[in-house]
Amino acid sequence: MRIGLSVDDRGLPHTDLVAEVRNAADAGLASFWLGQHTAGDALTSLAVAGSAVPGIRLGTAVVPTYPRHPLALGAQALTTQAVTGNRLDLGIGTSHRTIITDQFGYSFDKPARHLREYLTALRPVLRGETVDFDGETLKARGRIDVPGASRPGCW
């Protein structure tokens, strides 16, 4: 059985976050997970911590799709992969209506359709392929090349 640790990093300085990841790795835990809340950016935080602490898998639980275009999230996830030696498990989701509508000002109409289209655009990007997608809620054309990065783990 593989056991990991999920931490709420709101208000936690990066030096303390790196120490938390190091403590989890030293304790023999298989993975360390961060959510995307109102503190810092989860992927950036994992890139910083993961570049300082080898061996432990790193995951997001979860990064919301609405405020990021699939090409932008793909670039950030692949960059995190490269700097951490390909140890990222990327968890994404739609978030919650109140956050998406009240905080970000986006429509939360048909979130399942939005997520389906988002994943259709994101998957090829994470595989290093070119995406050419024109959906009802988003368009994505292009590719992201990050040397040393492989597709993030299951999400």
Side-chain angles (χ1 to χ4, degrees), residues 6-21:
S6 180
V7 172
D8 183 348
D9 72 330
R10 287 178 268 201
L12 194 63
H14 273 95
T15 54
D16 292 349
L17 179 63
V18 170
E20 290 287 335
V21 175

Side-chain angles (χ1 to χ4, degrees), residues 55-75:
I56 193 167
R57 288 216 48 95
L58 306 162
T60 58
V62 302
V63 172
T65 57
Y66 278 95
R68 291 186 178 126
H69 189 273
L71 287 165
L73 179 58

Side-chain angles (χ1 to χ4, degrees), residues 12-13 27-28 34 46 50-51 61 75 82-83 87-88 91-94 100 108 113 125 132-133 135-136 142:
L12 194 63
L34 282 180
L46 290 175
S51 65
V83 301
R87 294 181 282 140
L88 178 66
I92 66 170
T94 59
I100 301 308
F108 201 70
R113 178 190 63 190
V125 171
D132 185 1
F133 179 75
E136 292 179 51

Side-chain angles (χ1 to χ4, degrees), residues 2 5 21 27 31 56 59 74 76 84 107 120 126-127:
R2 297 175 52 98
L5 176 66
V21 175
S31 58
I56 193 167
Q76 190 178 20
T84 62
S107 168
T120 300
L126 295 177
R127 291 191 302 260

